Amino acid sequence: MKSKKLLSVILSAAVISTVALSGCGSSSTSAGASGALDKDQHLNVEVPTSDVKTLDPSKGSDGYSAYVLQETMEALSRDEVKNGKEVVVPAGAKSWSQSSDGLTWTFHLRDNKWSDGKPVTADQYVYALRRSLDANTASEYAYLLIGAGIKNSDEINKGKMSSDQLGVSAPDSKTLVINLSHPCAYFEKLLNFKFFIPQREDMVKKAGSKYGSAANTLVYNGPFKMTSMVSGNKIELVKNDQYWDKKSVKLDKVTMYFMDDANTMLNALQSGQIDIADTLRPEWVSRFNKTGKFNQVTGNVPTNSYLEFNNQDKNKLLTNAKIRKAISLSLNRKDYLKTTSYNIGTVSNAWVPKAIDIGDESYRSKANVSVKDSKEDPKELFKQGLKELGMDTDLSKVVLNDEEAGTDERHKLEGDYLINAFKKNLGVTLKVDYKEWKQFLQDEEDLNYEMQSGEMWSADYNDPMTFMDMWETDAAKTKNGYANKEYDALIEDAKIQKDQAKRLDDFKKAEDLLVNKDAAIAPTFSQGENLFAYKYVKGIQTPQFGASGSRDVEFKYAYISGKNK
């Protein structure tokens, strides 16, 4: 689950923002850079959960873990902001090139060191990619590399080949070569992803199953290194003096507080315990703006909230496409957005959000797929589904079970809304179980749910594929039991096509299958952003397609100036 940012309105030049939605960039503190640095360079931020799933780059799947990895690790590239534009910039690799047929990519690595002083070498990138695709690792994101076409990746991930046959090699310590089985139109956009973070085999083997679960199980090659991680409390980072670009890093320390309760987080921002936080709640927005102490950044983000249906539901109800579609059609998405996100964001009648481009054009402006186009009556459709399942068609007797992706106020608002909407618009009863984040993810992985809500997905890169390949039958990232060979074939064709018009046609047909014919999910709204940062916080960046999804506030170039004034 990720959530990228397009922050369209900047109310202070002290914050550097992107001007396009969802994914890449480079730049330092060109805005607000004239301010004198405070002696105390300590930034305090929040992470809106009680814990991160894992910091193992091969296994992490949520935006919160990626948020931490973004600040502590260096992939081949970084997404940054230069001159108001989000771009892909060299990071772990200082340069790269591709062959004329697009099948061979050669990366020339920087002179960089791990936090323990040992050199970062090409064979560590090779090891990381092999490990991520190894069937024994069981990486939920392996499908991303398979889709990109890294040679033999599919066979290796299925256990049919050994990982040393993967199309990656290290001719020398500073050169990485990646061979693809087919051209990939979006390959360069993937290079900041956590799979392209090098890994040290000695550290992986030493930590074993605990790798990524504590600060001392990892070494770091990014701007900061972790000194401690306490579940339910905080993560502490300090400047990494071994980092190749340490001269650009001005902060000495970053403390990340776990705060899964919105009121706790907002009170912490108001009191100055933390320096940056998001809120959509009108009363807090007004309160913060009246103080005159904050810079506010608002806008839409290229992410979609959705209802996830277990297409292999053991209770049978959600195995039926008509019942799934009835639920989707019954939703008043304007009310949904107003109730759960205070009208900050946009309704989503399709799966790929407006922020995503195909080539150099907006995908949504070209793809006229929409749930709202259906004229079918949701109640009658639900009854037809019940009849097909051989069940009683009395809607008042139907009970559906939903899991919400959190226990805080925001998720309880959503749960209450859905309970009332299902009763009013469908005449059925919805029972909502509010789950802690880790358990929610585990239930999803185990297909141990009927319906899930409160989850969001956003782009890992700026191409429709980042929203579409996750629903292929063999994709393991988001599990809902959906399987459609026609859908799979369309996505597989889009992966290998160079012609964007052909890719567009594939995506349109696949998206229509996903949200209309099969109704495998029900998109609801695209999230809005409302970030508040104290005015003494300078030089932060907010790339939409950075590595960390919804937590894309980049601290590499941040600094503190004038806090005590």
Side-chain angles (χ1 to χ4, degrees):
M1 182 193 81
K2 290 196 169 232
S3 172
K4 307 293 178 181
K5 299 183 177 179
L6 169 59
L7 303 177
S8 59
V9 180
I10 301 295
L11 301 187
S12 169
V15 179
I16 304 176
S17 175
T18 67
V19 294
L21 285 177
S22 261
C24 325
S26 159
S27 162
S28 62
T29 53
S30 59
S34 59
L37 272 66
D38 288 3
K39 182 178 181 180
D40 183 14
Q41 289 296 310
H42 181 190
L43 184 69
N44 296 286
V45 300
E46 48 83 28
V47 184
T49 185
S50 59
D51 203 356
V52 293
K53 186 176 180 181
T54 177
L55 295 179
D56 181 342
S58 292
K59 295 183 177 181
S61 62
D62 66 316
Y64 306 130
S65 59
Y67 183 37
V68 181
L69 289 172
Q70 175 176 268
E71 304 305 324
T72 58
M73 300 294 189
E74 189 87 315
L76 290 171
S77 76
R78 294 182 82 88
D79 282 19
E80 298 182 352
V81 184
K82 281 190 173 183
N83 301 319
K85 183 178 180 181
E86 191 169 340
V87 292
V88 176
V89 298
K94 60 183 179 181
S95 65
W96 55 81
S97 61
Q98 61 174 308
S99 59
S100 58
D101 61 5
L103 298 182
T104 302
W105 290 70
T106 303
F107 300 87
H108 303 285
L109 305 183
R110 296 188 187 276
D111 291 327
N112 195 15
K113 292 182 179 180
W114 294 97
S115 52
D116 64 359
K118 294 184 179 181
V120 176
T121 59
D123 64 296
Q124 294 160 356
Y125 287 90
V126 171
Y127 172 73
L129 288 164
R130 287 176 175 174
R131 179 172 179 264
S132 295
L133 280 162
D134 192 310
N136 293 321
T137 303
S139 172
E140 294 181 23
Y141 259 117
Y143 73 89
L144 186 146
L145 295 177
I146 295 169
I150 298 182
K151 190 175 180 180
N152 296 332
S153 55
D154 192 19
E155 291 82 359
I156 291 167
N157 191 244
K158 291 177 179 176
K160 296 179 180 180
M161 283 187 179
S162 62
S163 59
D164 60 5
Q165 293 179 280
L166 186 66
V168 293
S169 60
D172 57 60
S173 65
K174 294 299 178 185
T175 306
L176 172 68
V177 177
I178 300 179
N179 294 305
L180 306 183
S181 58
H182 60 74
C184 178
Y186 54 91
F187 190 69
E188 189 174 71
K189 297 178 180 181
L190 300 177
L191 300 178
N192 75 329
F193 193 72
K194 52 182 168 278
F195 282 165
F196 295 96
I197 294 170
Q199 295 181 41
R200 286 257 299 273
E201 186 174 6
D202 60 323
M203 296 298 296
V204 175
K205 289 184 175 179
K206 180 180 178 181
S209 62
K210 295 182 178 180
Y211 182 67
S213 64
N216 62 3
T217 66
L218 296 163
V219 284
Y220 309 93
N221 71 325
F224 300 93
K225 60 182 179 181
M226 190 189 314
T227 56
S228 69
M229 179 170 64
V230 181
S231 177
N233 187 5
K234 62 185 177 181
I235 291 174
E236 292 188 327
L237 311 179
V238 298
K239 181 176 179 179
N240 181 5
D241 289 330
Q242 300 292 333
Y243 180 52
W244 72 270
D245 195 24
K246 63 182 179 182
K247 67 181 186 302
S248 296
V249 182
K250 297 176 176 63
L251 293 172
D252 295 318
K253 185 177 181 180
V254 177
T255 301
M256 301 173 136
Y257 292 97
F258 290 120
M259 294 181 175
D260 59 352
D261 179 76
N263 285 322
T264 300
M265 179 265 290
L266 294 171
N267 280 308
L269 181 64
Q270 181 175 250
S271 69
Q273 180 189 356
I274 58 176
D275 304 308
I276 303 171
D278 299 284
T279 183
L280 305 177
R281 293 165 58 178
E283 69 274 20
W284 282 97
V285 170
S286 176
R287 189 180 305 178
F288 291 144
N289 280 329
K290 285 179 180 178
T291 67
K293 296 179 180 180
F294 298 94
N295 294 316
Q296 182 186 6
V297 183
T298 64
N300 295 323
V301 295
T303 187
N304 256 344
S305 178
Y306 59 102
L307 301 184
E308 184 166 34
F309 305 131
N310 185 346
N311 288 224
Q312 297 178 14
D313 176 20
K314 63 185 178 182
N315 297 324
K316 301 300 182 182
L317 281 170
L318 292 179
T319 64
N320 186 274
K322 289 182 178 178
I323 289 176
R324 298 194 299 265
K325 189 172 183 179
I327 293 171
S328 183
L329 290 175
S330 75
L331 298 173
N332 184 320
R333 287 167 169 81
K334 288 185 179 179
D335 286 348
Y336 204 127
L337 177 67
K338 181 179 179 180
T339 302
T340 62
S341 288
Y342 308 99
N343 266 336
I344 298 177
T346 57
V347 299
S348 294
N349 292 304
W351 177 231
V352 180
K354 294 178 180 179
I356 300 297
D357 295 330
I358 182 163
D360 297 325
E361 298 182 277
S362 166
Y363 170 77
R364 213 48 296 145
S365 68
K366 298 287 185 179
N368 57 344
V369 178
S370 178
V371 172
K372 70 179 181 181
D373 290 341
S374 177
K375 306 301 181 186
E376 296 170 281
D377 179 75
K379 287 185 178 180
E380 289 304 313
L381 200 58
F382 203 113
K383 290 179 181 179
Q384 290 174 28
L386 290 171
K387 187 175 181 180
E388 289 179 357
L389 292 171
M391 296 181 177
D392 190 334
T393 58
D394 184 348
L395 295 177
S396 67
K397 296 179 181 179
V398 174
V399 178
L400 285 164
N401 298 289
D402 175 46
E403 286 190 358
E404 264 286 331
T407 61
D408 62 5
E409 181 183 3
R410 186 256 178 223
H411 289 98
K412 288 179 180 176
L413 275 174
E414 182 171 28
D416 286 344
Y417 169 78
L418 289 172
I419 289 170
N420 292 327
F422 274 49
K423 179 61 71 175
K424 176 183 177 181
N425 301 331
L426 288 171
V428 304
T429 298
L430 183 71
K431 292 184 177 180
V432 179
D433 188 4
Y434 300 92
K435 295 282 188 176
E436 294 290 347
W437 179 238
K438 272 190 170 182
Q439 187 59 54
F440 180 91
L441 291 177
Q442 190 61 55
D443 286 349
E444 179 186 43
E445 185 171 346
D446 296 339
L447 278 176
N448 184 30
Y449 67 94
E450 193 166 59
M451 185 179 90
Q452 288 189 326
S453 57
E455 187 171 15
M456 296 182 181
W457 183 265
S458 188
D460 295 311
Y461 49 93
N462 191 6
D463 187 88
M465 189 64 74
T466 192
F467 279 87
M468 301 301 288
D469 62 355
M470 64 188 287
W471 303 113
E472 285 189 273
T473 302
D474 291 337
K477 169 59 205 85
T478 300
K479 296 189 175 181
N480 71 338
Y482 178 59
N484 184 315
K485 291 182 179 179
E486 182 182 357
Y487 183 92
D488 295 348
L490 289 165
I491 300 305
E492 288 302 305
D493 187 65
K495 289 176 183 177
I496 64 175
Q497 289 288 349
K498 286 186 175 181
D499 186 332
Q500 296 290 11
K502 292 180 180 178
R503 297 183 77 234
L504 172 65
D505 187 57
D506 285 336
F507 285 135
K508 285 169 60 177
K509 291 176 180 176
E511 190 177 23
D512 190 54
L513 284 174
L514 183 71
V515 302
N516 284 320
K517 182 180 178 181
D518 294 336
I521 57 170
T524 53
F525 64 91
S526 186
Q527 186 184 30
E529 183 65 58
N530 221 18
L531 176 72
F532 287 90
Y534 277 99
K535 290 184 177 179
Y536 56 74
V537 179
K538 313 290 186 181
I540 61 171
Q541 294 197 353
T542 53
Q544 295 178 69
F545 296 99
S548 68
S550 62
R551 310 308 307 155
D552 272 341
V553 180
E554 170 63 68
F555 306 132
K556 176 179 175 178
Y557 304 108
Y559 61 98
I560 306 297
S561 178
K563 183 173 183 178
N564 296 323
K565 289 183 180 180

